Amino acid sequence: RCITTLTECEKLYFFNKQNQKSYKVIWGDTLWLISTAWEVPYQEIATFNNIPNPDLIYVDQVIYNPLFK
């Protein structure tokens, strides 16, 4: 199933993370969710953070926003 619209809760989640320089991963996060919140392609975040497999991130891992180089 493909999700094409965001719930109000998801919009709030994204809004609260938009201007963050870094983010600590919690259970259920994906690089795609973080990239959507930051409005940065997930591939760019993966490259900037030296993440070889963008499908594999870990709880408590700190992800840095490439917009704040």
Side-chain angles (χ1 to χ4, degrees), residues 13-69:
Y13 174 89
F14 293 144
F15 177 78
N16 287 335
K17 289 174 179 44
Q18 243 175 349
N19 295 314
Q20 288 183 333
K21 293 181 181 181
S22 65
Y23 175 70
K24 192 172 188 179
V25 176
I26 60 171
W27 187 88
D29 280 337
T30 65
L31 214 49
W32 179 85
L33 276 174
I34 297 165
S35 74
T36 302
W38 286 347
E39 298 178 345
V40 176
Y42 75 89
Q43 299 93 332
E44 187 176 338
I45 295 172
T47 300
F48 186 75
N49 287 277
N50 298 313
I51 299 172
N53 180 355
D55 294 324
L56 188 60
I57 58 174
Y58 301 95
V59 171
D60 293 331
Q61 180 177 1
V62 177
I63 307 290
Y64 296 95
N65 189 335
L67 295 178
F68 295 92
K69 296 178 185 175

